[in-house]
Amino acid sequence: EIKVVSAKEMSFDKKSNASATRLIGDVTFSHDDAYMYCDSAWLLKDNNSLEAYGDVKIEHGDSLPAN
C-alpha cells in the first residue's frame, strides 16, 4: 500500500472522484522500503496508484536516488 508521509496541502473532490486525493507541496510517499518525493501528486486509492508531478525523485533501500 502507498502511504502519504507528508504534504503541505491535501484536498479531496468527492464530486469528480471520491477515491482521489490531491497533494501539493513537498509531497513524500512511502511503499515498502522505497520513498518518492515530488512537488504535487494525485493519489488514487481505488487502484493503489499515484500520478506525480514536478521534481520527482525516488529512493529505494540503499540505492542512489533516481530522477
Side-chain angles (χ1 to χ4, degrees):
E1 178 181 344
I2 298 170
K3 296 178 183 172
V4 177
V5 175
S6 65
K8 288 185 178 178
E9 296 178 36
M10 183 182 296
S11 62
F12 306 90
D13 186 357
K14 292 182 180 179
K15 291 181 182 178
S16 63
N17 186 346
S19 71
T21 304
R22 178 75 169 142
L23 300 125
I24 301 172
D26 297 328
V27 181
T28 304
F29 293 100
S30 69
H31 183 266
D32 298 331
D33 66 342
Y35 284 86
M36 189 188 77
Y37 309 91
C38 60
D39 294 333
S40 65
W42 282 98
L43 177 61
L44 308 166
K45 292 187 179 190
D46 57 353
N47 63 359
N48 197 37
S49 67
L50 60 87
E51 296 176 13
Y53 302 94
D55 188 21
V56 179
K57 295 179 181 162
I58 300 170
E59 293 179 0
H60 187 263
D62 61 355
S63 65
L64 297 173
N67 292 336

